Amino acid sequence: MSRPISRRPMSRTAYQASVAALKTAHPWLAKQVVEPAPGHLAVLAHFVGQCELLMKPADYRHLPLFCATNQRDKLSLRVELVGASINKDRALLDLIEAARHAAQQHCPVCSAPVIGGDANAGQGVRCKQHEATIGLFAEDVKRNHKLAVAAGLLPAATKPEKSVRGEPLDPSIDEAVHALVQSSPDMKPPAAAPEQPAPQAPRATPQIAFLDAAGLRSFVERHRAKPDEKAKRAQYIAERIRAAGHERRKLGELPDDWPQLIEDFQRDFPNFAELADVMHDHFALHAMGDGRVEWSPILLVGPAGIGKTEAARWLAARLSLPFRVIDMASTQSSSPLAGSESFWSNSEPGVVFELLAYQPLANPVIVLDELDKTDQQRQYDPLAALYTLLEPRSARDFIDLSIRDFAINASHVNWVATANSTEGIPAPLLSRMTVLQMQAPTPEQVAHIAQQIYGRMRAESSWGSAFAPRLDELVVDKLKNLPPRALGLVLKRALGRAAREEQDHIRVSDLPDMSSPSRNPMGFMA
């Protein structure tokens, strides 16, 4: 029986040579950040080649933004092409998603294949040989393994008393390692704990049956005889579905620190305590099972500008779930949700199909914004598709009107609707949702929110470090009577004025006029 292939970690020198070779092969990478894990170099090289297929000569003259790094054993990619079309941006996002998932199937240390890696998980997966090691390069792995063995954190490997040439082994190396461990109090073995519970086996990522593969094949075959454009479109749709997972889909999981996530949400959205309580119930329930992120459809009712949509966006970002907002006030039919009829020449799938079929997670967050302002007097009811989508049983077999050959499982979508009131929303829809009344934040809560928004603006901007860590209390006092939606706009304007004066903080005089009844300089209403 053949022995399994043993892959070795890469030395720092070999790694640096490989990165240099990659930059030589693709000169436009010369001034870009290329620092992936050693085991992800092959995946990155393939990704770079795919990116170049999307580029034009102008993209090389105006170098794109490219950043490839390693974060917690995962490949992190950021690419932006100058002046790219919407379709090209979408294609680039698909390539990034595919590369991230491909990287998760390889050990970041030695590139050995691993099973079960998920690009949306908080931590990358290492192979069996290196799952208990620390570090990425051969030198680090070897040194940290010796220290861990000497500290009693890993079992010592049995070794012969003599070398292969019959010479006695030099014990000085082990003595030096032992002395180093004893001199480092953090590395000393912990006190004996005889009755510690055995560590739990890692939980498998939950998956669902997403569609019938036979129906997908039937869809492609039926379009083969049609005009070239429609045949290519059918083939393109099928290829994207297969790339995202074919007939199966994964479900995004709760992070290990989800209770901390709830606390952070309550801190950033103090007036959304009821929503935080509902989320806490759902998360606690599913944490006892397979850890999936799932909640019943929720309707947030409250005044405009208090942060209803932003709260949903925050949750999706922290849970690493796909996110989409649908403006129901401007929707003229159900086609944005359920697609347009296939007999139209410009028929296109709806948001639900695109969001589920073209990416690997089946539990995205979809926001139905301003649900109460939907015009239901039109010939085609914009709310018609929701009667199916908000009911889990019927959503399991959701059929997009543009692609009737097969159904998809849309029962795991996490829905959040927003409205100023429940008037105008049909009772059958209200019965399918948990209705939460959201209150406008108090001035004290707005003051807290203002500091949070200011902190995020500093952290997410290249110029953030030029300004003071916190807002002056006099400035906060002027801001606390504004709606949360207005805070970001006002602060951005004030920061611009402070920059013009070369100040490192915002003064009250930098705030735009917020009290003049004759004009509204920021373009918002309370």
Side-chain angles (χ1 to χ4, degrees), residues 5-29:
I5 298 175
S6 178
R7 297 177 182 258
R8 295 182 177 180
M10 184 180 292
S11 68
R12 288 183 182 273
T13 303
Y15 172 80
Q16 292 167 356
S18 297
V19 172
L22 181 64
K23 291 187 174 183
T24 301
H26 307 279
W28 60 276
L29 290 177

Side-chain angles (χ1 to χ4, degrees), residues 250-253 292-293 321-322 356 361-365 412-414:
K250 298 176 182 178
L251 296 178
E253 299 176 84
R292 68 183 62 185
V293 179
L321 296 176
L356 293 175
L361 294 180
N363 54 342
V365 178
H412 297 280
V413 174
N414 294 300

Side-chain angles (χ1 to χ4, degrees), residues 229-487:
E229 184 178 342
K230 288 195 173 183
K232 287 183 177 179
R233 172 179 173 271
Q235 186 64 37
Y236 172 72
I237 290 173
E239 288 175 357
R240 293 193 68 182
I241 291 174
R242 294 187 184 111
H246 206 187
E247 71 269 23
R248 300 193 67 79
R249 288 293 183 275
K250 298 176 182 178
L251 296 178
E253 299 176 84
L254 291 166
D256 293 337
D257 62 344
W258 66 263
Q260 182 62 48
L261 183 149
I262 295 292
E263 292 182 12
D264 292 346
F265 180 80
Q266 291 174 319
R267 179 199 65 209
D268 289 354
F269 298 89
N271 56 316
F272 282 65
E274 192 174 358
L275 176 59
D277 198 44
V278 170
M279 289 292 139
H280 201 159
D281 291 342
H282 284 288
F283 291 177
L285 182 64
H286 290 293
M288 297 177 65
D290 57 14
R292 68 183 62 185
V293 179
E294 187 172 290
W295 61 75
S296 303
I298 293 173
L299 173 62
L300 304 179
V301 182
I306 63 172
K308 299 186 291 292
T309 303
E310 187 59 29
R313 191 188 308 274
W314 188 100
L315 286 169
R318 286 291 298 269
L319 294 167
S320 301
L321 296 176
F323 177 77
R324 190 69 60 86
V325 177
I326 302 176
D327 181 11
M328 299 302 294
S330 62
T331 302
Q332 301 180 10
S333 69
S334 62
S335 59
L337 283 167
S340 51
E341 288 285 0
S342 57
F343 55 73
W344 296 108
S345 60
N346 60 347
S347 175
E348 290 290 341
V351 168
V352 175
F353 183 91
E354 288 189 345
L355 201 55
L356 293 175
Y358 299 158
Q359 56 85 34
L361 294 180
N363 54 342
V365 178
I366 299 181
V367 173
L368 305 170
D369 202 25
E370 298 188 310
L371 188 63
D372 56 329
K373 295 182 175 60
T374 306
D375 186 356
Q376 302 167 48
Q377 305 304 317
R378 295 181 176 275
Q379 180 180 0
Y380 303 103
D381 184 4
L383 302 179
L386 292 178
Y387 294 98
T388 297
L389 290 167
L390 297 184
E391 188 66 51
R393 287 189 178 181
S394 56
R396 288 194 192 103
D397 298 302
F398 173 71
I399 295 178
D400 188 277
L401 299 180
S402 179
I403 305 172
R404 291 183 172 272
D405 299 76
F406 57 90
I408 62 174
N409 187 345
S411 63
H412 297 280
V413 174
N414 294 300
W415 296 96
V416 178
T418 71
N420 298 138
S421 72
T422 57
E423 294 182 11
I425 301 177
L429 281 186
L430 289 175
S431 68
R432 288 167 164 81
M433 297 184 286
T434 301
V435 181
L436 303 179
Q437 295 289 338
M438 298 290 102
Q439 302 299 322
T442 64
E444 290 72 22
Q445 290 173 336
V446 173
H448 178 79
I449 293 171
Q451 292 284 13
Q452 295 295 327
I453 292 176
Y454 175 74
R456 284 202 299 270
M457 293 175 77
R458 289 184 68 251
E460 295 171 0
S461 303
S462 59
W463 40 259
S465 59
F467 291 93
R470 291 182 60 81
L471 291 171
D472 185 81
E473 290 301 323
L474 292 176
V475 172
V476 172
D477 190 62
K478 290 290 185 180
L479 295 172
K480 65 183 183 181
N481 292 317
L482 289 177
R485 178 188 294 172
L487 291 174

